[in-house]
Amino acid sequence: MGAFTRIPADTFEQIQTEAGMLLYKFDPENPTSFKEEDIICPTTGGVTIRCVPTTSDMGEDVDNCPANLLELKKIDGWDCGLEFTSLGTSPKSIRLALGAADVDSNDPTHIIPRRDLKVSDAQDVWWVGDRADGGMVAAVVRKALSTSGFSLKTSKAGKGNTSVNLTGHVTLDTQGQVPMEFWSTGPTEDGGTEPSGDEDV
């Protein structure tokens, strides 16, 4: 075997497995404490987690300035969110996909799209997945709001599915924050999880 034909010794601990799950509430310090009603919906085709910066190059129109001069780059914002295909048609799932909508207080089976957006329409949404070593990887999108609306695709002898695109938002009180956070923890002896101990910078 060649000197450069190898993988990191902790590769097994780093591998994320299976599709994971979507939750309305989750506590990384108590990962098994979530409730059945916290599970958002069944999915198909996996979940895409994104946290992508948009940047400006202040040197792009400066004569003799090299392209991509790091000192003149700045981050304008972050596009953070989750994309998935939902198989769920519960009132809460439909409302989440719609974004601006209400569940009728007199009839909890009745979902009413709304013309105007409310700050309360946005909510934190979690994705939590397994690691190969028994630990977990988790991501939370802060103030997640559907930006793709509701579109149910049906098929003969198949399952109806809805494509959902959730985008994280900042608020007037959190303008300096990125609306997404991550955790990666290893297993503990009691079956829980603990920080992975990675020191990467």
Side-chain angles (χ1 to χ4, degrees):
M1 185 173 73
F4 304 107
T5 307
R6 58 178 297 168
I7 58 176
D10 62 350
T11 293
F12 184 70
E13 288 84 351
Q14 295 181 28
I15 295 174
Q16 189 277 316
T17 64
E18 303 298 337
M21 64 195 307
L22 297 165
L23 297 165
Y24 290 111
K25 295 179 182 178
F26 182 72
D27 181 2
E29 295 183 3
N30 244 326
T32 59
S33 65
F34 66 88
K35 300 176 181 178
E36 187 69 22
E37 57 264 31
D38 295 330
I39 303 174
I40 293 177
C41 63
T43 61
T44 182
V47 177
T48 299
I49 300 114
R50 69 180 189 277
C51 189
V52 183
T54 55
T55 61
S56 294
D57 186 350
M58 299 178 67
E60 65 180 355
D61 61 348
V62 177
D63 293 342
N64 302 319
C65 179
N68 293 318
L69 185 66
L70 186 59
E71 287 80 359
L72 292 183
K73 278 283 186 77
K74 70 182 185 73
I75 294 178
D76 298 318
W78 289 81
D79 174 27
C80 301
L82 299 169
E83 297 174 49
F84 56 92
T85 299
S86 170
L87 297 176
T89 56
S90 71
K92 288 180 71 174
S93 293
I94 293 174
R95 182 186 178 279
L96 180 68
L98 284 167
D102 297 304
V103 176
D104 191 337
S105 58
N106 297 316
D107 180 1
T109 68
H110 183 203
I111 307 95
I112 310 166
R114 193 184 333 102
R115 182 183 179 90
D116 300 316
L117 185 67
K118 296 179 180 179
V119 173
S120 58
D121 289 326
Q123 58 189 307
D124 292 353
V125 173
W126 291 80
W127 169 84
V128 185
D130 294 301
R131 286 193 348 180
D133 64 349
M136 68 155 196
V137 182
V140 60
V141 181
R142 302 293 187 191
K143 299 298 181 184
L145 186 70
S146 172
T147 53
S148 59
F150 179 85
S151 178
L152 177 64
K153 173 67 174 177
T154 66
S155 61
K156 182 178 180 180
K159 305 177 187 72
N161 59 72
T162 303
S163 295
V164 182
N165 188 337
L166 301 179
T167 299
H169 292 76
V170 296
T171 66
L172 290 173
D173 295 328
T174 61
Q175 296 180 55
Q177 299 177 17
V178 177
M180 197 166 196
E181 299 170 39
F182 300 86
W183 286 259
S184 180
T185 64
T188 61
E189 292 182 3
D190 61 1
T193 59
E194 63 182 5
S196 63
D198 294 340
E199 301 296 334
D200 295 344
V201 178

